[in-house]
Amino acid sequence: MTIIKAAAVQISPVLYSRDATIDKVVRKIHELAQVGVQFATFPETVVPYYPYFSAVQTPLELLAGKEHLRLLNEAVTVPSPATDAIGEAARNAGMVVSIGVNEREGGTLYNTQLLFDADGTLVQRRRKITPTHFERMIWGQGDGSGLRAVDTRVGRIGQLACFEHNNPLARYALMADGEQIHSAMYPGSAFGEGFAQRMEINIRQHALESGCFVVNATAWLDAEQQAQIMKDTGCAVGPISGGCFTAIVAPDGMLIGEPLRTGEGDVIADLDFAQIDRRKMLMDSTGHYNRPELLSLLIDRTPASNLHQRGDVLRQHTTPDAEII
């Protein structure tokens, strides 16, 4: 029998600071280790912070203003001292950690989920395949290479971010890959109560269909942070309020404990993997309840690259006198 202690973490970023937010995450990992947590999910792009400004500024304001550039300068490269610090904290805590970051590659940002195994190894870096609406002004697109579950010390884990949970084929890719724990993450402190309600539907439905545990984390903005964003962007408080639903869901779609709706804190629960088998005895959507001869999914997991080279290998491995047949 496998029982894993998991935590869904609702945490505030240190606004506008990658390094300070990393330090806060590292402290939280050590804190969770003291109560025996073996797996933790942190919010979407919590390092350094979610680009709330992209939802409230016009494209012209984004281009002419400083917010996008500031986020670019504070973003995370992989690997880097920032990722090394999270990996070291995971190793010291003996904890598997899933966390969302703004990843920078060149001049482009990505909504990226990082998964560290309990020995500190980065075992998955996946990018949100399609940023949602206004997010497309900020983030590039990911590829299908991250649409897979990964074996870790605590089990087989899949990850998706925010509105990716409205893409049934993306979810099915992870379900068919045998995920036992699903790490879900959303921005938090955004878009009001309706957003939180739709989030709850998303994560509970995924647990019910997949027969796995869902550990979901949202971030939190305090009043001072809201005031700072309002000052910097000219927005009202409404778009940067509410929308928090940090929770853990059982394989039958039922909430384990009370979700966290306001403030910083954690939802901690024991995940008994026997519940996965019990759920799938009734309905296994990728097994006995599936009809693959009628319905199937084609996935292209080829990593996308902006550079494709031809001929270099051939020139390096032939001499001037070589004959090519």
Side-chain angles (χ1 to χ4, degrees):
M1 180 186 300
T2 300
I3 299 177
I4 298 299
K5 185 178 288 294
V9 181
Q10 189 157 293
I11 191 172
S12 299
V14 178
L15 204 58
Y16 306 148
S17 175
R18 174 192 59 235
D19 293 342
T21 302
I22 289 288
D23 289 345
K24 187 172 183 178
V25 166
V26 167
R27 291 195 301 271
K28 172 57 72 173
I29 291 171
H30 291 314
E31 175 187 318
L32 294 172
Q34 298 304 308
V35 294
V37 170
Q38 299 161 277
F39 171 71
T41 292
F42 286 80
E44 180 183 16
T45 62
V46 70
V47 183
Y49 49 91
Y50 179 81
Y52 297 95
F53 63 87
S54 64
V56 298
Q57 291 189 313
T58 67
L60 182 59
E61 288 171 329
L62 291 175
L63 187 61
K66 65 181 180 181
E67 299 305 322
H68 193 168
L69 184 61
R70 175 157 57 184
L71 181 61
L72 187 69
N73 290 334
E74 290 296 320
V76 175
T77 56
V78 182
S80 67
T83 59
D84 290 345
I86 300 172
E88 182 180 1
R91 179 178 58 80
N92 291 337
M95 187 185 304
V96 179
V97 175
S98 172
I99 187 168
V101 303
N102 287 275
E103 179 194 1
R104 176 174 182 167
E105 184 173 14
T108 299
L109 293 172
Y110 297 93
N111 178 334
T112 297
Q113 293 172 294
L114 303 179
L115 182 64
F116 296 87
D117 209 344
D119 63 358
T121 303
L122 179 61
V123 292
Q124 187 176 59
R125 177 187 68 173
R126 72 164 303 270
R127 294 168 173 172
K128 188 174 184 179
I129 53 176
T130 301
T132 305
H133 199 248
F134 54 83
E135 294 174 349
R136 295 175 201 171
M137 299 294 292
I138 308 301
W139 292 321
Q141 292 185 319
D143 58 37
S145 63
L147 288 177
R148 64 174 73 246
V150 180
D151 288 320
T152 71
R153 188 178 297 179
V154 298
R156 195 158 173 81
I157 298 174
Q159 305 180 104
L160 289 176
C162 199
F163 260 40
E164 289 186 308
H165 292 90
N166 292 306
N167 187 329
L169 297 184
R171 294 195 301 106
Y172 191 80
L174 301 182
M175 292 158 58
D177 210 26
E179 63 175 355
Q180 296 168 302
I181 302 173
H182 179 80
S183 178
M185 48 186 73
Y186 291 73
S189 286
F191 318 129
E193 174 60 22
F195 187 72
Q197 291 183 20
R198 290 187 288 274
M199 184 193 316
E200 179 182 2
I201 293 169
N202 281 163
I203 62 175
R204 295 183 70 172
Q205 183 66 23
H206 185 72
L208 189 66
E209 290 183 351
S210 64
C212 76
F213 291 95
V214 176
V215 182
N216 182 65
T218 58
W220 168 256
L221 295 176
D222 62 28
E224 183 178 338
Q225 291 173 316
Q226 289 173 316
Q228 185 65 56
I229 293 172
M230 292 165 65
K231 176 183 177 182
D232 293 338
T233 65
C235 76
V237 72
I240 53 173
S241 299
C244 291
F245 195 85
T246 293
I248 297 179
V249 190
D252 61 358
M254 304 303 290
L255 294 171
I256 304 177
E258 290 295 320
L260 189 58
R261 305 297 303 275
T262 60
E264 292 188 288
D266 320 301
V267 176
I268 298 176
D270 289 335
L271 313 185
D272 184 351
F273 280 24
Q275 294 182 46
I276 297 174
D277 292 338
R278 184 168 297 279
R279 170 61 185 166
K280 290 189 174 183
M281 285 169 55
L282 174 64
M283 196 285 291
D284 185 354
S285 61
T286 63
H288 62 76
Y289 207 67
N290 189 26
R291 291 292 302 277
E293 77 280 13
L294 302 178
L295 302 166
S296 62
L297 172 64
L298 174 64
I299 307 172
D300 183 358
R301 288 191 171 124
T302 306
S305 174
N306 291 320
L307 176 64
H308 302 272
Q309 299 186 77
R310 295 178 180 175
D312 287 354
V313 174
L314 180 62
R315 286 195 293 271
Q316 291 170 4
H317 291 85
T318 58
T319 66
D321 298 326
E323 181 179 2
I324 302 175
I325 298 176

